[in-house]
mmCIF file with all atom_site columns, all heavy atoms in Angstrom:
data_model
loop_
_atom_site.group_PDB
_atom_site.id
_atom_site.type_symbol
_atom_site.label_atom_id
_atom_site.label_alt_id
_atom_site.label_comp_id
_atom_site.label_asym_id
_atom_site.label_entity_id
_atom_site.label_seq_id
_atom_site.pdbx_PDB_ins_code
_atom_site.Cartn_x
_atom_site.Cartn_y
_atom_site.Cartn_z
_atom_site.occupancy
_atom_site.B_iso_or_equiv
_atom_site.pdbx_formal_charge
_atom_site.auth_seq_id
_atom_site.auth_comp_id
_atom_site.auth_asym_id
_atom_site.auth_atom_id
_atom_site.pdbx_PDB_model_num
ATOM   1   N N   . TYR A 1 14  ? 86.918 117.580 106.606 1.00 0.00 ? 1066 TYR A N   1
ATOM   2   C CA  . TYR A 1 14  ? 86.664 116.883 107.900 1.00 0.00 ? 1066 TYR A CA  1
ATOM   3   C C   . TYR A 1 14  ? 87.961 116.706 108.637 1.00 0.00 ? 1066 TYR A C   1
ATOM   4   O O   . TYR A 1 14  ? 89.002 116.467 108.013 1.00 0.00 ? 1066 TYR A O   1
ATOM   5   C CB  . TYR A 1 14  ? 86.055 115.505 107.606 1.00 0.00 ? 1066 TYR A CB  1
ATOM   6   C CG  . TYR A 1 14  ? 85.809 114.658 108.874 1.00 0.00 ? 1066 TYR A CG  1
ATOM   7   C CD1 . TYR A 1 14  ? 84.664 114.906 109.656 1.00 0.00 ? 1066 TYR A CD1 1
ATOM   8   C CD2 . TYR A 1 14  ? 86.702 113.656 109.233 1.00 0.00 ? 1066 TYR A CD2 1
ATOM   9   C CE1 . TYR A 1 14  ? 84.451 114.145 110.769 1.00 0.00 ? 1066 TYR A CE1 1
ATOM   10  C CE2 . TYR A 1 14  ? 86.459 112.869 110.359 1.00 0.00 ? 1066 TYR A CE2 1
ATOM   11  C CZ  . TYR A 1 14  ? 85.351 113.105 111.133 1.00 0.00 ? 1066 TYR A CZ  1
ATOM   12  O OH  . TYR A 1 14  ? 85.108 112.360 112.261 1.00 0.00 ? 1066 TYR A OH  1
ATOM   13  N N   . GLY A 1 16  ? 89.330 114.344 111.787 1.00 0.00 ? 1068 GLY A N   1
ATOM   14  C CA  . GLY A 1 16  ? 89.145 113.338 112.843 1.00 0.00 ? 1068 GLY A CA  1
ATOM   15  C C   . GLY A 1 16  ? 90.154 113.674 113.968 1.00 0.00 ? 1068 GLY A C   1
ATOM   16  O O   . GLY A 1 16  ? 90.753 114.753 113.963 1.00 0.00 ? 1068 GLY A O   1
ATOM   17  N N   . LYS A 1 17  ? 90.322 112.766 114.876 1.00 0.00 ? 1069 LYS A N   1
ATOM   18  C CA  . LYS A 1 17  ? 91.275 113.015 115.960 1.00 0.00 ? 1069 LYS A CA  1
ATOM   19  C C   . LYS A 1 17  ? 92.679 113.110 115.428 1.00 0.00 ? 1069 LYS A C   1
ATOM   20  O O   . LYS A 1 17  ? 93.466 113.899 115.904 1.00 0.00 ? 1069 LYS A O   1
ATOM   21  C CB  . LYS A 1 17  ? 91.125 111.909 117.009 1.00 0.00 ? 1069 LYS A CB  1
ATOM   22  C CG  . LYS A 1 17  ? 89.834 112.010 117.815 1.00 0.00 ? 1069 LYS A CG  1
ATOM   23  C CD  . LYS A 1 17  ? 89.739 110.996 118.868 1.00 0.00 ? 1069 LYS A CD  1
ATOM   24  C CE  . LYS A 1 17  ? 89.383 109.624 118.299 1.00 0.00 ? 1069 LYS A CE  1
ATOM   25  N NZ  . LYS A 1 17  ? 88.055 109.490 117.736 1.00 0.00 ? 1069 LYS A NZ  1
ATOM   26  N N   . VAL A 1 18  ? 93.014 112.314 114.402 1.00 0.00 ? 1070 VAL A N   1
ATOM   27  C CA  . VAL A 1 18  ? 94.373 112.243 113.935 1.00 0.00 ? 1070 VAL A CA  1
ATOM   28  C C   . VAL A 1 18  ? 94.521 112.728 112.493 1.00 0.00 ? 1070 VAL A C   1
ATOM   29  O O   . VAL A 1 18  ? 95.493 113.326 112.119 1.00 0.00 ? 1070 VAL A O   1
ATOM   30  C CB  . VAL A 1 18  ? 94.915 110.823 114.123 1.00 0.00 ? 1070 VAL A CB  1
ATOM   31  C CG1 . VAL A 1 18  ? 96.292 110.685 113.473 1.00 0.00 ? 1070 VAL A CG1 1
ATOM   32  C CG2 . VAL A 1 18  ? 94.971 110.454 115.590 1.00 0.00 ? 1070 VAL A CG2 1
ATOM   33  N N   . ARG A 1 19  ? 93.508 112.431 111.626 1.00 0.00 ? 1071 ARG A N   1
ATOM   34  C CA  . ARG A 1 19  ? 93.625 112.720 110.215 1.00 0.00 ? 1071 ARG A CA  1
ATOM   35  C C   . ARG A 1 19  ? 92.717 113.874 109.796 1.00 0.00 ? 1071 ARG A C   1
ATOM   36  O O   . ARG A 1 19  ? 91.686 114.093 110.410 1.00 0.00 ? 1071 ARG A O   1
ATOM   37  C CB  . ARG A 1 19  ? 93.312 111.474 109.378 1.00 0.00 ? 1071 ARG A CB  1
ATOM   38  C CG  . ARG A 1 19  ? 94.519 110.775 108.862 1.00 0.00 ? 1071 ARG A CG  1
ATOM   39  C CD  . ARG A 1 19  ? 95.174 109.732 109.749 1.00 0.00 ? 1071 ARG A CD  1
ATOM   40  N NE  . ARG A 1 19  ? 94.296 108.925 110.524 1.00 0.00 ? 1071 ARG A NE  1
ATOM   41  C CZ  . ARG A 1 19  ? 93.834 107.757 110.120 1.00 0.00 ? 1071 ARG A CZ  1
ATOM   42  N NH1 . ARG A 1 19  ? 94.114 107.328 108.931 1.00 0.00 ? 1071 ARG A NH1 1
ATOM   43  N NH2 . ARG A 1 19  ? 93.088 107.014 110.944 1.00 0.00 ? 1071 ARG A NH2 1
ATOM   44  N N   . LEU A 1 21  ? 90.794 115.365 106.356 1.00 0.00 ? 1073 LEU A N   1
ATOM   45  C CA  . LEU A 1 21  ? 90.394 114.954 105.014 1.00 0.00 ? 1073 LEU A CA  1
ATOM   46  C C   . LEU A 1 21  ? 90.111 116.156 104.129 1.00 0.00 ? 1073 LEU A C   1
ATOM   47  O O   . LEU A 1 21  ? 89.548 117.187 104.589 1.00 0.00 ? 1073 LEU A O   1
ATOM   48  C CB  . LEU A 1 21  ? 89.108 114.099 105.096 1.00 0.00 ? 1073 LEU A CB  1
ATOM   49  C CG  . LEU A 1 21  ? 89.154 112.886 106.042 1.00 0.00 ? 1073 LEU A CG  1
ATOM   50  C CD1 . LEU A 1 21  ? 87.787 112.118 105.917 1.00 0.00 ? 1073 LEU A CD1 1
ATOM   51  C CD2 . LEU A 1 21  ? 90.298 111.961 105.712 1.00 0.00 ? 1073 LEU A CD2 1
ATOM   52  N N   . LEU A 1 32  ? 89.739 111.427 97.698  1.00 0.00 ? 1084 LEU A N   1
ATOM   53  C CA  . LEU A 1 32  ? 89.868 112.001 99.038  1.00 0.00 ? 1084 LEU A CA  1
ATOM   54  C C   . LEU A 1 32  ? 91.361 112.090 99.345  1.00 0.00 ? 1084 LEU A C   1
ATOM   55  O O   . LEU A 1 32  ? 92.119 111.181 99.000  1.00 0.00 ? 1084 LEU A O   1
ATOM   56  C CB  . LEU A 1 32  ? 89.190 111.009 99.946  1.00 0.00 ? 1084 LEU A CB  1
ATOM   57  C CG  . LEU A 1 32  ? 88.802 111.383 101.364 1.00 0.00 ? 1084 LEU A CG  1
ATOM   58  C CD1 . LEU A 1 32  ? 87.743 112.444 101.322 1.00 0.00 ? 1084 LEU A CD1 1
ATOM   59  C CD2 . LEU A 1 32  ? 88.247 110.131 102.015 1.00 0.00 ? 1084 LEU A CD2 1
ATOM   60  N N   . HIS A 1 75  ? 91.793 101.211 99.456  1.00 0.00 ? 1127 HIS A N   1
ATOM   61  C CA  . HIS A 1 75  ? 91.215 102.492 99.040  1.00 0.00 ? 1127 HIS A CA  1
ATOM   62  C C   . HIS A 1 75  ? 92.187 103.429 98.319  1.00 0.00 ? 1127 HIS A C   1
ATOM   63  O O   . HIS A 1 75  ? 91.796 104.553 97.979  1.00 0.00 ? 1127 HIS A O   1
ATOM   64  C CB  . HIS A 1 75  ? 90.603 103.193 100.248 1.00 0.00 ? 1127 HIS A CB  1
ATOM   65  C CG  . HIS A 1 75  ? 91.612 103.734 101.250 1.00 0.00 ? 1127 HIS A CG  1
ATOM   66  N ND1 . HIS A 1 75  ? 91.283 104.746 102.133 1.00 0.00 ? 1127 HIS A ND1 1
ATOM   67  C CD2 . HIS A 1 75  ? 92.849 103.382 101.544 1.00 0.00 ? 1127 HIS A CD2 1
ATOM   68  C CE1 . HIS A 1 75  ? 92.329 105.029 102.889 1.00 0.00 ? 1127 HIS A CE1 1
ATOM   69  N NE2 . HIS A 1 75  ? 93.304 104.218 102.580 1.00 0.00 ? 1127 HIS A NE2 1
ATOM   70  N N   . ALA A 1 92  ? 92.998 108.675 98.293  1.00 0.00 ? 1144 ALA A N   1
ATOM   71  C CA  . ALA A 1 92  ? 92.096 107.520 98.479  1.00 0.00 ? 1144 ALA A CA  1
ATOM   72  C C   . ALA A 1 92  ? 90.857 107.678 97.685  1.00 0.00 ? 1144 ALA A C   1
ATOM   73  O O   . ALA A 1 92  ? 90.498 108.817 97.303  1.00 0.00 ? 1144 ALA A O   1
ATOM   74  C CB  . ALA A 1 92  ? 91.804 107.340 99.973  1.00 0.00 ? 1144 ALA A CB  1
ATOM   75  N N   . MET A 1 93  ? 90.171 106.560 97.454  1.00 0.00 ? 1145 MET A N   1
ATOM   76  C CA  . MET A 1 93  ? 88.820 106.677 96.883  1.00 0.00 ? 1145 MET A CA  1
ATOM   77  C C   . MET A 1 93  ? 87.909 107.049 98.046  1.00 0.00 ? 1145 MET A C   1
ATOM   78  O O   . MET A 1 93  ? 88.060 106.547 99.161  1.00 0.00 ? 1145 MET A O   1
ATOM   79  C CB  . MET A 1 93  ? 88.377 105.272 96.412  1.00 0.00 ? 1145 MET A CB  1
ATOM   80  C CG  . MET A 1 93  ? 89.300 104.657 95.421  1.00 0.00 ? 1145 MET A CG  1
ATOM   81  S SD  . MET A 1 93  ? 88.802 102.949 95.217  1.00 0.00 ? 1145 MET A SD  1
ATOM   82  C CE  . MET A 1 93  ? 90.248 102.318 94.364  1.00 0.00 ? 1145 MET A CE  1
ATOM   83  N N   . SER A 1 94  ? 86.979 107.906 97.808  1.00 0.00 ? 1146 SER A N   1
ATOM   84  C CA  . SER A 1 94  ? 86.019 108.273 98.847  1.00 0.00 ? 1146 SER A CA  1
ATOM   85  C C   . SER A 1 94  ? 84.988 107.158 98.975  1.00 0.00 ? 1146 SER A C   1
ATOM   86  O O   . SER A 1 94  ? 84.187 106.948 98.069  1.00 0.00 ? 1146 SER A O   1
ATOM   87  C CB  . SER A 1 94  ? 85.347 109.607 98.461  1.00 0.00 ? 1146 SER A CB  1
ATOM   88  O OG  . SER A 1 94  ? 84.487 109.998 99.528  1.00 0.00 ? 1146 SER A OG  1
ATOM   89  N N   . LEU A 1 95  ? 85.084 106.418 100.031 1.00 0.00 ? 1147 LEU A N   1
ATOM   90  C CA  . LEU A 1 95  ? 84.239 105.206 100.193 1.00 0.00 ? 1147 LEU A CA  1
ATOM   91  C C   . LEU A 1 95  ? 83.090 105.470 101.130 1.00 0.00 ? 1147 LEU A C   1
ATOM   92  O O   . LEU A 1 95  ? 83.088 106.383 101.929 1.00 0.00 ? 1147 LEU A O   1
ATOM   93  C CB  . LEU A 1 95  ? 85.069 104.065 100.776 1.00 0.00 ? 1147 LEU A CB  1
ATOM   94  C CG  . LEU A 1 95  ? 86.290 103.612 99.954  1.00 0.00 ? 1147 LEU A CG  1
ATOM   95  C CD1 . LEU A 1 95  ? 87.003 102.476 100.744 1.00 0.00 ? 1147 LEU A CD1 1
ATOM   96  C CD2 . LEU A 1 95  ? 85.864 103.134 98.545  1.00 0.00 ? 1147 LEU A CD2 1
ATOM   97  N N   . MET A 1 97  ? 81.875 104.329 104.204 1.00 0.00 ? 1149 MET A N   1
ATOM   98  C CA  . MET A 1 97  ? 82.495 103.588 105.269 1.00 0.00 ? 1149 MET A CA  1
ATOM   99  C C   . MET A 1 97  ? 81.466 102.797 106.084 1.00 0.00 ? 1149 MET A C   1
ATOM   100 O O   . MET A 1 97  ? 80.354 103.276 106.362 1.00 0.00 ? 1149 MET A O   1
ATOM   101 C CB  . MET A 1 97  ? 83.272 104.553 106.184 1.00 0.00 ? 1149 MET A CB  1
ATOM   102 C CG  . MET A 1 97  ? 84.387 105.312 105.550 1.00 0.00 ? 1149 MET A CG  1
ATOM   103 S SD  . MET A 1 97  ? 85.700 104.238 104.849 1.00 0.00 ? 1149 MET A SD  1
ATOM   104 C CE  . MET A 1 97  ? 86.495 103.733 106.391 1.00 0.00 ? 1149 MET A CE  1
ATOM   105 N N   . LYS A 1 147 ? 81.673 102.078 115.536 1.00 0.00 ? 1199 LYS A N   1
ATOM   106 C CA  . LYS A 1 147 ? 82.349 103.332 115.268 1.00 0.00 ? 1199 LYS A CA  1
ATOM   107 C C   . LYS A 1 147 ? 81.360 104.485 115.583 1.00 0.00 ? 1199 LYS A C   1
ATOM   108 O O   . LYS A 1 147 ? 80.523 104.837 114.774 1.00 0.00 ? 1199 LYS A O   1
ATOM   109 C CB  . LYS A 1 147 ? 82.758 103.425 113.797 1.00 0.00 ? 1199 LYS A CB  1
ATOM   110 C CG  . LYS A 1 147 ? 83.812 104.496 113.537 1.00 0.00 ? 1199 LYS A CG  1
ATOM   111 C CD  . LYS A 1 147 ? 84.381 104.332 112.135 1.00 0.00 ? 1199 LYS A CD  1
ATOM   112 C CE  . LYS A 1 147 ? 84.904 105.671 111.599 1.00 0.00 ? 1199 LYS A CE  1
ATOM   113 N NZ  . LYS A 1 147 ? 85.675 106.471 112.528 1.00 0.00 ? 1199 LYS A NZ  1
ATOM   114 N N   . ALA A 1 148 ? 81.517 104.980 116.825 1.00 0.00 ? 1200 ALA A N   1
ATOM   115 C CA  . ALA A 1 148 ? 80.576 106.013 117.266 1.00 0.00 ? 1200 ALA A CA  1
ATOM   116 C C   . ALA A 1 148 ? 80.730 107.296 116.455 1.00 0.00 ? 1200 ALA A C   1
ATOM   117 O O   . ALA A 1 148 ? 81.823 107.631 116.007 1.00 0.00 ? 1200 ALA A O   1
ATOM   118 C CB  . ALA A 1 148 ? 80.915 106.276 118.754 1.00 0.00 ? 1200 ALA A CB  1
ATOM   119 N N   . MET A 1 150 ? 81.231 111.234 115.692 1.00 0.00 ? 1202 MET A N   1
ATOM   120 C CA  . MET A 1 150 ? 82.230 112.134 116.271 1.00 0.00 ? 1202 MET A CA  1
ATOM   121 C C   . MET A 1 150 ? 81.827 112.620 117.634 1.00 0.00 ? 1202 MET A C   1
ATOM   122 O O   . MET A 1 150 ? 80.701 113.045 117.906 1.00 0.00 ? 1202 MET A O   1
ATOM   123 C CB  . MET A 1 150 ? 82.416 113.318 115.332 1.00 0.00 ? 1202 MET A CB  1
ATOM   124 C CG  . MET A 1 150 ? 83.764 113.945 115.477 1.00 0.00 ? 1202 MET A CG  1
ATOM   125 S SD  . MET A 1 150 ? 83.922 115.279 114.332 1.00 0.00 ? 1202 MET A SD  1
ATOM   126 C CE  . MET A 1 150 ? 85.267 116.210 115.036 1.00 0.00 ? 1202 MET A CE  1
ATOM   127 N N   . GLU A 1 202 ? 89.436 99.318  109.160 1.00 0.00 ? 1254 GLU A N   1
ATOM   128 C CA  . GLU A 1 202 ? 88.149 99.894  108.744 1.00 0.00 ? 1254 GLU A CA  1
ATOM   129 C C   . GLU A 1 202 ? 87.968 99.564  107.281 1.00 0.00 ? 1254 GLU A C   1
ATOM   130 O O   . GLU A 1 202 ? 88.923 99.617  106.515 1.00 0.00 ? 1254 GLU A O   1
ATOM   131 C CB  . GLU A 1 202 ? 88.171 101.401 108.946 1.00 0.00 ? 1254 GLU A CB  1
ATOM   132 C CG  . GLU A 1 202 ? 88.075 101.802 110.399 1.00 0.00 ? 1254 GLU A CG  1
ATOM   133 C CD  . GLU A 1 202 ? 87.935 103.346 110.574 1.00 0.00 ? 1254 GLU A CD  1
ATOM   134 O OE1 . GLU A 1 202 ? 87.363 104.029 109.704 1.00 0.00 ? 1254 GLU A OE1 1
ATOM   135 O OE2 . GLU A 1 202 ? 88.457 103.854 111.594 1.00 0.00 ? 1254 GLU A OE2 1
ATOM   136 N N   . ALA A 1 214 ? 90.321 100.310 104.093 1.00 0.00 ? 1266 ALA A N   1
ATOM   137 C CA  . ALA A 1 214 ? 90.456 101.770 104.058 1.00 0.00 ? 1266 ALA A CA  1
ATOM   138 C C   . ALA A 1 214 ? 91.266 102.258 105.223 1.00 0.00 ? 1266 ALA A C   1
ATOM   139 O O   . ALA A 1 214 ? 91.926 101.464 105.914 1.00 0.00 ? 1266 ALA A O   1
ATOM   140 C CB  . ALA A 1 214 ? 89.104 102.464 103.993 1.00 0.00 ? 1266 ALA A CB  1
ATOM   141 N N   . ASP A 1 215 ? 91.249 103.616 105.383 1.00 0.00 ? 1267 ASP A N   1
ATOM   142 C CA  . ASP A 1 215 ? 91.880 104.218 106.570 1.00 0.00 ? 1267 ASP A CA  1
ATOM   143 C C   . ASP A 1 215 ? 93.373 103.883 106.596 1.00 0.00 ? 1267 ASP A C   1
ATOM   144 O O   . ASP A 1 215 ? 93.961 103.659 105.568 1.00 0.00 ? 1267 ASP A O   1
ATOM   145 C CB  . ASP A 1 215 ? 91.155 103.741 107.818 1.00 0.00 ? 1267 ASP A CB  1
ATOM   146 C CG  . ASP A 1 215 ? 91.177 104.741 108.944 1.00 0.00 ? 1267 ASP A CG  1
ATOM   147 O OD1 . ASP A 1 215 ? 90.782 105.916 108.727 1.00 0.00 ? 1267 ASP A OD1 1
ATOM   148 O OD2 . ASP A 1 215 ? 91.606 104.395 110.069 1.00 0.00 ? 1267 ASP A OD2 1
HETATM 149 P P1  . LIG B 2 .   ? 86.321 110.076 113.813 1.00 0.00 ? 625  LIG B P1  1
HETATM 150 O O1  . LIG B 2 .   ? 85.800 109.817 112.448 1.00 0.00 ? 625  LIG B O1  1
HETATM 151 O O2  . LIG B 2 .   ? 85.337 109.564 114.904 1.00 0.00 ? 625  LIG B O2  1
HETATM 152 O O3  . LIG B 2 .   ? 86.788 111.414 114.043 1.00 0.00 ? 625  LIG B O3  1
HETATM 153 P P2  . LIG B 2 .   ? 88.953 109.166 114.100 1.00 0.00 ? 625  LIG B P2  1
HETATM 154 O O4  . LIG B 2 .   ? 89.271 110.115 115.169 1.00 0.00 ? 625  LIG B O4  1
HETATM 155 O O5  . LIG B 2 .   ? 89.484 107.782 114.105 1.00 0.00 ? 625  LIG B O5  1
HETATM 156 O O6  . LIG B 2 .   ? 87.449 109.010 113.939 1.00 0.00 ? 625  LIG B O6  1
HETATM 157 P P3  . LIG B 2 .   ? 90.705 109.896 112.014 1.00 0.00 ? 625  LIG B P3  1
HETATM 158 O O7  . LIG B 2 .   ? 91.298 108.511 111.995 1.00 0.00 ? 625  LIG B O7  1
HETATM 159 O O8  . LIG B 2 .   ? 91.536 111.030 112.564 1.00 0.00 ? 625  LIG B O8  1
HETATM 160 O O9  . LIG B 2 .   ? 89.313 109.860 112.725 1.00 0.00 ? 625  LIG B O9  1
HETATM 161 O O10 . LIG B 2 .   ? 90.223 110.355 110.560 1.00 0.00 ? 625  LIG B O10 1
HETATM 162 C C1  . LIG B 2 .   ? 90.099 109.540 109.515 1.00 0.00 ? 625  LIG B C1  1
HETATM 163 C C2  . LIG B 2 .   ? 88.678 109.455 109.059 1.00 0.00 ? 625  LIG B C2  1
HETATM 164 O O11 . LIG B 2 .   ? 88.632 109.144 107.711 1.00 0.00 ? 625  LIG B O11 1
HETATM 165 C C3  . LIG B 2 .   ? 87.919 108.354 109.835 1.00 0.00 ? 625  LIG B C3  1
HETATM 166 O O12 . LIG B 2 .   ? 86.582 108.847 110.093 1.00 0.00 ? 625  LIG B O12 1
HETATM 167 C C4  . LIG B 2 .   ? 87.841 107.245 108.746 1.00 0.00 ? 625  LIG B C4  1
HETATM 168 O O13 . LIG B 2 .   ? 86.747 106.367 108.890 1.00 0.00 ? 625  LIG B O13 1
HETATM 169 C C5  . LIG B 2 .   ? 87.744 108.044 107.484 1.00 0.00 ? 625  LIG B C5  1
HETATM 170 N N1  . LIG B 2 .   ? 88.250 107.414 106.241 1.00 0.00 ? 625  LIG B N1  1
HETATM 171 C C6  . LIG B 2 .   ? 89.399 106.716 106.057 1.00 0.00 ? 625  LIG B C6  1
HETATM 172 N N2  . LIG B 2 .   ? 89.522 106.219 104.850 1.00 0.00 ? 625  LIG B N2  1
HETATM 173 C C7  . LIG B 2 .   ? 88.420 106.689 104.145 1.00 0.00 ? 625  LIG B C7  1
HETATM 174 C C8  . LIG B 2 .   ? 87.967 106.525 102.780 1.00 0.00 ? 625  LIG B C8  1
HETATM 175 N N3  . LIG B 2 .   ? 88.690 105.880 101.868 1.00 0.00 ? 625  LIG B N3  1
HETATM 176 N N4  . LIG B 2 .   ? 86.784 107.062 102.444 1.00 0.00 ? 625  LIG B N4  1
HETATM 177 C C9  . LIG B 2 .   ? 86.018 107.723 103.401 1.00 0.00 ? 625  LIG B C9  1
HETATM 178 N N5  . LIG B 2 .   ? 86.426 107.929 104.679 1.00 0.00 ? 625  LIG B N5  1
HETATM 179 C C10 . LIG B 2 .   ? 87.602 107.375 105.087 1.00 0.00 ? 625  LIG B C10 1
#
Side-chain angles (χ1 to χ4, degrees):
Y1066 178 79
K1069 287 181 286 294
V1070 173
R1071 259 85 39 90
L1073 306 184
L1084 195 63
H1127 71 156
M1145 305 168 193
S1146 183
L1147 300 179
M1149 298 299 286
K1199 195 170 156 44
M1202 203 177 161
E1254 286 187 32
D1267 208 54

